[in-house]
Amino acid sequence: RPVPLDSSTINGMAAPGGVPRAIKRVLKGRACTPVISLLGPQRFLSTSFKASDLQIELSSCPKPKPDPGKLVFGKHFTDHMLTVEWTQENGWSKPHIKPFQNISLHPASSALHYSVQLFEGMKAFRGPDKHVRLFRPMLNMERMLRTAVRACLPTFDKSELLECIRQLICVDQDWVPHSDSASLYIRPTYIGTEPSLGVAKSTRALLYVILGPVGPYFATGSFNPVSLLADPRFVRAWMGGVGDCKLGGNYGPTIFVQSEAAKEGFQQVLWLYGDDHQMTEVGTMNIFMFWKDQQGDLELVTPPLNGIILPGVTRQSLLDLAHKWGEFKVSEKVITMADLIKGLEEKRVKEVFGSGTACVVSPVNNIFYQGKHYHIPTMENGPEIAKRFLKELTDIQYGRVASDWAQPL
């Protein structure tokens, strides 16, 4: 049950100003102060659910497994799901693994009316040794917790949720494809189920996790180049907003722009920001550019985590690998379209690519901007760096190379 915070409890755990240190640890980065002020006084601190309380109900009608070579992203789901309910009155219930099924919601649920909902995306991989591994899963748990705080949904213990997810995958481990070009996609989801109208904190919530085998994210294939529409009329995120959180409300409004791009023959949207048309993200991916800077030095550059960029797990992994190689400059800084165009004109741009859990690494070969096509010579340059990133990352994910980033079940 929720634990009241009396004066002695607050003195033991709160920083000056009455904000619990646990919340401050969650709200890292430049957006910390304004978000804390929005939360207001914290009256209750809910305890977390426990993986040791997990209750399992197995499906009596298992489904046939799809052909790993014919998987379409997001269209197949496993036999089971994880659910955990929370109420303001009783706190967290016991977690359940149950047969995959529809969810019943009150018509006034806050997730439906006010987009009080968030999600994560992660994967499990089956290696040549037949073992199943998760890739840096705690980074997903940390991001999910940060987003939950921003959405005013109750907090949870990251390790307990991760252990529940492990148990769910163990139950459905036969669904992890025996393939080095497919994986098991994991979708933790967290929604407000407040059964009344009004823009306010939810008194009820549901955390659930579904799984599904997936192949390449793009119809063009796992490593074929994509073309981008860059239209400054459309903005994905802005300073002071929630672009750095994985909220569903960040994604729904992009569907219209994506459909407009598809009509013009482009696979994805290059999201621009500000009067100087800063490059921010590619569709649902982070963006990287490998070039020679104006001093002639090789440099890998990606936009900084300034509040409008989602801190992707793959993004962080590519930066970590590049730092480990130590062969060129690695920078997190603003890149404008003017920077890119000048680099192209001076033949300094070598590769542009996106990164994300769903696609891993996706090369870019064309950007349409202000009525003009700009050819990106990514494929003509190998692409040496993008391919190297893809190989090293997937070698770790599938267990072909030992790494503490890949955690066995």
Side-chain angles (χ1 to χ4, degrees):
R1 294 179 64 86
V3 180
L5 298 181
D6 57 24
S7 59
S8 62
T9 305
I10 291 174
N11 290 335
M13 69 174 293
V19 179
R21 291 196 184 97
I23 299 296
K24 282 207 164 188
R25 284 196 296 271
V26 168
L27 292 168
K28 294 179 179 178
R30 296 172 62 179
C32 181
T33 301
V35 173
I36 290 175
S37 65
L38 286 173
L39 292 175
Q42 300 297 304
R43 181 68 184 91
F44 293 104
L45 181 68
S46 296
T47 57
S48 180
F49 52 88
K50 303 291 185 183
S52 58
D53 294 331
L54 190 62
Q55 299 182 348
I56 301 177
E57 175 192 353
L58 296 179
S59 172
S60 59
C61 300
K63 296 173 288 189
K65 311 297 188 295
D67 182 345
K70 298 179 180 180
L71 291 171
V72 178
F73 190 93
K75 300 298 184 182
H76 302 277
F77 298 97
T78 66
D79 292 319
H80 299 89
M81 62 191 296
L82 170 73
T83 64
V84 200
E85 295 183 0
W86 177 90
T87 66
Q88 183 174 279
E89 179 182 2
N90 298 314
W92 286 104
S93 67
K94 292 181 178 180
H96 286 75
I97 290 175
K98 60 181 67 172
F100 188 92
Q101 58 194 262
N102 291 340
I103 294 172
S104 178
L105 293 176
H106 190 283
S109 290
S110 52
L112 303 177
H113 293 266
Y114 309 115
S115 195
V116 182
Q117 55 107 299
L118 58 101
F119 66 95
E120 268 300 327
M122 47 200 294
K123 286 181 176 179
F125 305 84
R126 189 183 299 276
D129 58 0
K130 310 304 180 186
H131 293 167
V132 176
R133 296 172 176 85
L134 293 170
F135 181 73
R136 307 190 81 174
M138 192 53 73
L139 293 183
N140 294 96
M141 299 296 97
E142 291 168 354
R143 186 173 64 185
M144 187 173 184
L145 185 57
R146 289 196 301 269
T147 305
V149 171
R150 187 63 176 87
C152 282
L153 289 171
T155 59
F156 53 85
D157 187 293
K158 298 170 293 185
S159 297
E160 296 293 342
L161 174 56
L162 180 55
E163 181 56 31
C164 288
I165 292 174
R166 289 181 189 276
Q167 294 300 321
L168 175 63
I169 298 170
C170 284
V171 170
D172 277 343
Q173 62 181 298
D174 288 346
W175 283 84
V176 184
H178 292 259
S179 168
D180 61 2
S181 60
S183 56
L184 184 74
Y185 189 74
I186 305 161
R187 173 53 64 90
T189 309
Y190 198 7
I191 63 176
T193 55
E194 170 66 37
S196 61
L197 299 178
V199 183
K201 271 181 153 183
S202 294
T203 63
R204 294 175 176 271
L206 172 66
L207 193 161
Y208 65 93
V209 182
I210 54 178
L211 313 172
V214 296
Y217 184 71
F218 294 117
T220 55
S222 59
F223 200 72
N224 290 319
V226 296
S227 58
L228 311 178
L229 171 65
D231 190 335
R233 294 179 301 164
F234 303 109
V235 179
R236 188 198 79 91
W238 49 90
M239 293 296 184
V242 291
D244 57 348
C245 297
K246 207 163 178 66
L247 293 161
N250 285 339
Y251 293 81
T254 70
I255 297 172
F256 171 79
V257 189
Q258 175 62 39
S259 65
E260 292 298 300
K263 289 178 185 177
E264 300 297 326
F266 305 105
Q267 280 81 43
Q268 279 294 337
V269 176
L270 174 58
W271 297 104
L272 305 178
Y273 176 77
D275 293 337
D276 55 351
H277 298 174
Q278 300 169 26
M279 300 163 61
T280 61
E281 294 193 4
V282 178
T284 60
M285 301 180 287
N286 294 119
I287 187 168
F288 284 82
M289 180 165 66
F290 186 61
W291 69 343
K292 284 187 177 180
D293 64 17
Q294 295 194 37
Q295 288 71 46
D297 297 322
L298 288 174
E299 180 183 39
L300 179 72
V301 59
T302 192
L305 299 181
N306 55 9
I308 62 175
I309 305 296
L310 186 72
V313 174
T314 307
R315 173 191 182 275
Q316 186 59 53
S317 300
L318 299 190
L319 290 173
D320 291 343
L321 284 175
H323 282 297
K324 178 183 176 183
W325 296 343
E327 299 171 11
F328 43 77
K329 291 170 60 176
V330 181
S331 302
E332 297 176 64
K333 65 183 183 183
V334 169
I335 321 164
T336 66
M337 284 303 297
D339 295 330
L340 172 65
I341 293 170
K342 183 178 180 181
L344 289 171
E345 291 172 346
E346 297 175 354
K347 301 188 183 305
R348 292 186 287 110
V349 176
K350 295 182 175 296
E351 302 177 30
V352 174
F353 51 90
S355 73
T357 297
C359 67
V360 188
V361 176
S362 179
V364 174
N365 69 346
N366 179 62
I367 298 176
F368 185 74
Y369 170 69
Q370 295 187 334
K372 184 176 179 180
H373 288 276
Y374 290 91
H375 176 70
I376 313 297
T378 304
M379 303 310 287
E380 290 89 331
N381 285 299
E384 179 185 347
I385 296 300
K387 280 185 175 179
R388 185 177 174 188
F389 275 137
L390 179 65
K391 183 180 187 306
E392 292 215 13
L393 213 57
T394 53
D395 279 349
I396 292 172
Q397 290 171 337
Y398 286 94
R400 294 187 290 264
V401 172
S403 171
D404 56 6
W405 288 358
Q407 300 185 11
L409 290 183

